[in-house]
Amino acid sequence: MKMSKLFQWNEQWSVACRPNIAVLASLLALPVCSSAWANESVIDTLQVHGFLSQALIITDDNDFFGSSSENAGSLEYTEIGVNASIRPHRNVLVAAQVLSRRAGGETSDAIPTLDYGVVDYQMVSNQQRTLGLQVGRFKNPFGIYNQTRDVAFTRPGILLPQSIYFDRTRSLGMAGDGASIYHEERTTSGVFRFQAGVGKTRIEDDVDQALGLKRFPGSLQAGSSAIGQIRYEDNGGHFLMALSTASANADYEDANPPLNNGSFQFQPWVFSLQYNDELWSLTSEYALRTIELDGFNPAIDQKKTGESWYVQYTRRMDNDWQWLIRFDRLVNDRNDRSGTTYEQSGLGPAHSQFADDITFGVQWTPRPNLMLAGEYHHVDGTGWLPLHEDADASETSRHWNMLLFQLSLRF
């Protein structure tokens, strides 16, 4: 499909149909038009879709998602998801997705879990505006790709820019349990969208590991958190701009000396820009990330602001092929960009505090439900390298290369 036709289809859809936000999060189901709903029974609105992705990862140094630097690489990157939605009433959508994901670690890590599950009620829905409320586990509106990041067909590459979309602390940014309100206004100059949610963020072992707390007996318990995004798209589908922010909080409980019960706060700001032409897209996002640990002990307590950004160019060839080139930069502390102070304090190697990643990738989609992809990364630094319980940061290499291949299916 040519991009000009795609833009025209998107514009027609936005006027004629009700936004099906939860199902759009997977981009596997088509929207349900309100005019058509009246002629269907409830069971006719049931939609079930799914996807599967399997990757091979090979690195020369450092392990990424399994023992990728040994033998023939790692096959420990698998994503399997099934989602369903149904409309018990023309203004109510019930949608959920179950996800099994293994990204290194044990086989038990792939136990299916609820990725999202919402009851979505639309108070207002017409050609000019939509106003709705979601209750349950909702996908966080964060950046351009976060709400669809588990579906390989929605990603420009096998991996998203790791400086913004962390796989290292993935649970922190994926979803929240609570309530979310959204408002979409369609005007002659474009489409304005606003979404905000409150509740509890998901905090799992990956966050404890990244903060260096996994070796202690206590645990982080999610507290009250909030997230919001303002987004604009022009009517032609060429230009997109968004501002996202969040405040994720947690309390550290059941601590024993040398730690006290402390608190954790994470506050990111992400500014996103994208321009889409018929055959190419240019995307960039910039983020400031403030992390604060307070009340643990003087050796652990800290407040620092990290900085992330990337620039990405994707090129579409015919209808089946797409390639990308991307530069991605991460700094964990703006006051210690090189990590020198961190290393001199005896906390670990300097290169663990930053990462510069040059990425080349290609995707081939011979059929709408089949995609093959390949990707190469040349990385300076290990600032976003996923951590494992037995990993020793001092044994990692500053300069490393990674090659990925992925097969993806959907139905």
Side-chain angles (χ1 to χ4, degrees):
M1 180 183 291
K2 291 292 187 181
M3 285 298 294
S4 58
K5 294 182 179 179
L6 179 61
F7 296 149
Q8 182 180 9
W9 185 89
N10 284 336
E11 183 176 5
Q12 292 171 347
W13 171 84
S14 66
V15 172
C17 298
R18 294 176 181 270
N20 186 337
I21 291 181
V23 178
L24 280 177
S26 67
L27 290 186
L28 294 175
L30 293 176
V32 179
C33 296
S34 58
S35 59
W37 191 94
N39 298 321
E40 294 181 317
S41 65
V42 172
I43 195 64
D44 290 332
T45 68
L46 175 65
Q47 298 189 48
V48 179
H49 299 271
F51 58 89
L52 180 151
S53 296
Q54 176 61 57
L56 168 65
I57 305 175
I58 303 170
T59 55
D60 56 356
D61 289 297
N62 305 330
D63 286 332
F64 187 93
F65 292 167
S67 300
S68 58
S69 63
E70 301 176 5
N71 302 319
S74 170
L75 290 170
E76 298 178 19
Y77 185 27
T78 307
E79 298 170 302
I80 304 173
V82 176
N83 62 71
S85 67
I86 193 168
R87 285 186 177 272
H89 184 273
R90 65 188 305 160
N91 295 328
V92 177
L93 171 76
V94 179
Q97 177 167 286
V98 174
L99 179 68
S100 169
R101 184 176 188 269
R102 187 185 185 191
E106 302 296 329
T107 305
S108 59
D109 294 342
I111 294 175
T113 59
L114 181 66
D115 185 40
Y116 66 80
V118 296
V119 177
D120 187 324
Y121 171 61
Q122 292 182 343
M123 292 84 80
V124 178
S125 183
N126 53 49
Q127 291 186 349
Q128 286 74 42
R129 66 183 55 86
T130 302
L131 177 64
L133 173 69
Q134 294 179 342
V135 178
R137 174 167 292 178
F138 59 89
K139 300 287 279 189
N140 286 331
F142 187 78
I144 294 176
Y145 301 110
N146 196 65
Q147 290 181 304
T148 63
R149 64 189 286 183
D150 289 322
V151 185
F153 288 84
T154 70
R155 300 192 295 252
I158 298 175
L159 296 180
L160 287 174
Q162 292 295 293
S163 69
I164 304 289
Y165 304 96
F166 290 106
D167 279 302
R168 184 176 187 168
T169 54
R170 182 177 182 274
S171 67
L172 189 60
M174 287 304 301
D177 296 329
S180 171
I181 189 170
Y182 59 91
H183 178 207
E184 180 175 291
E185 194 76 16
R186 293 174 283 277
T187 71
T188 56
S189 61
V191 180
F192 296 85
R193 297 185 179 95
F194 169 78
Q195 185 174 357
V198 294
K200 290 188 176 182
T201 190
R202 297 171 60 188
I203 294 183
E204 299 176 2
D205 290 345
D206 56 349
V207 180
D208 291 82
Q209 185 71 38
L211 295 175
L213 301 174
K214 190 69 181 291
R215 64 185 185 273
F216 299 108
S219 61
L220 284 171
Q221 301 298 320
S224 298
S225 300
I227 191 166
Q229 183 182 75
I230 300 173
R231 182 168 174 153
Y232 166 77
E233 297 180 49
D234 72 340
N235 284 324
H238 291 282
F239 181 73
L240 180 152
M241 178 173 60
L243 178 65
S244 313
T245 188
S247 177
N249 303 281
D251 295 317
Y252 191 75
E253 300 179 353
D254 300 324
N256 290 324
L259 292 188
N260 302 312
N261 287 343
S263 63
F264 162 76
Q265 183 181 55
F266 174 60
Q267 185 172 28
W269 288 87
V270 181
F271 181 62
S272 310
L273 286 173
Q274 185 177 75
Y275 181 81
N276 297 295
D277 198 36
E278 183 174 352
L279 296 177
W280 58 272
S281 297
L282 184 63
T283 307
S284 183
E285 297 189 89
Y286 175 83
L288 292 176
R289 302 165 284 104
T290 300
I291 295 176
E292 183 174 5
L293 296 173
D294 184 55
F296 291 85
N297 69 33
I300 296 291
D301 291 348
Q302 59 177 294
K303 183 176 182 179
K304 62 182 180 182
T305 298
E307 184 179 66
S308 306
W309 61 272
Y310 73 89
V311 177
Q312 171 185 278
Y313 176 82
T314 56
R315 175 77 178 187
R316 290 168 286 277
M317 299 175 292
D318 298 323
N319 293 324
D320 303 334
W321 290 89
Q322 174 178 292
W323 59 268
L324 73 82
I325 181 171
R326 179 171 66 217
F327 179 78
D328 186 23
R329 168 164 288 180
L330 165 74
V331 172
N332 280 341
D333 188 349
R334 299 180 76 196
N335 294 323
D336 184 25
R337 293 179 178 273
S338 66
T340 303
T341 301
Y342 181 87
E343 183 173 62
Q344 292 175 347
S345 300
L347 299 174
H351 65 253
S352 67
Q353 297 304 295
F354 63 86
D356 287 347
D357 179 11
I358 300 174
T359 303
F360 301 92
V362 63
Q363 293 179 344
W364 179 43
T365 311
R367 299 177 61 87
N369 61 348
L370 170 65
M371 183 175 70
L372 299 172
E375 198 164 285
Y376 168 73
H377 295 252
H378 175 70
V379 191
D380 176 11
T382 58
W384 49 256
L385 186 70
L387 300 175
H388 305 287
E389 190 169 352
D390 299 327
D392 186 349
S394 64
E395 296 179 357
T396 59
S397 299
R398 172 176 171 173
H399 298 279
W400 55 292
N401 299 279
M402 177 164 58
L403 190 62
L404 304 94
F405 302 95
Q406 188 175 62
L407 166 68
S408 301
L409 304 170
R410 63 179 172 180
F411 66 88

